[in-house]
Amino acid sequence: MMNYIFADVFHTGLLDESVDERELCADALSAWGCCMAGAELPRRFGQGMAAISKKLGISATPESIKEYAIAKGWCSTNV
């Protein structure tokens, strides 16, 4: 069994304002990857994803987050 690690925002539902946009994007993409791999969702997954998407001004879908990261130059189009 895999040990999946989710960022704190997905456990608390609260966004740490000191976390920059690049890290938020990475946290969100990582969380979606864990979900797609079959991980059990943390209790506040939805609240955390909503907080990240609100901060970034985008939809919380994996596709939207990836497109945002690509547009910022933080992510390859090969992902």
Side-chain angles (χ1 to χ4, degrees):
M1 183 169 138
M2 293 284 296
N3 183 20
Y4 297 98
I5 298 174
F6 288 85
D8 288 343
V9 66
F10 300 110
H11 296 283
T12 66
L14 304 173
L15 194 60
D16 178 348
E17 293 299 326
S18 70
V19 177
D20 68 17
E21 290 185 355
R22 183 183 299 214
E23 188 173 347
L24 291 175
C25 221
D27 288 344
L29 288 173
S30 175
W32 278 121
C34 289
C35 291
M36 291 174 188
E40 183 177 336
L41 297 180
R43 179 179 171 103
R44 305 272 188 237
F45 177 83
Q47 289 172 296
M49 198 59 75
I52 290 174
S53 68
K54 182 178 179 181
K55 172 85 176 194
L56 299 179
I58 60 174
S59 169
T61 65
E63 295 81 12
S64 293
I65 298 164
K66 178 184 170 189
E67 288 172 9
Y68 183 84
I70 290 169
K72 292 286 191 172
W74 303 332
C75 182
S76 168
T77 58
N78 300 350
V79 176

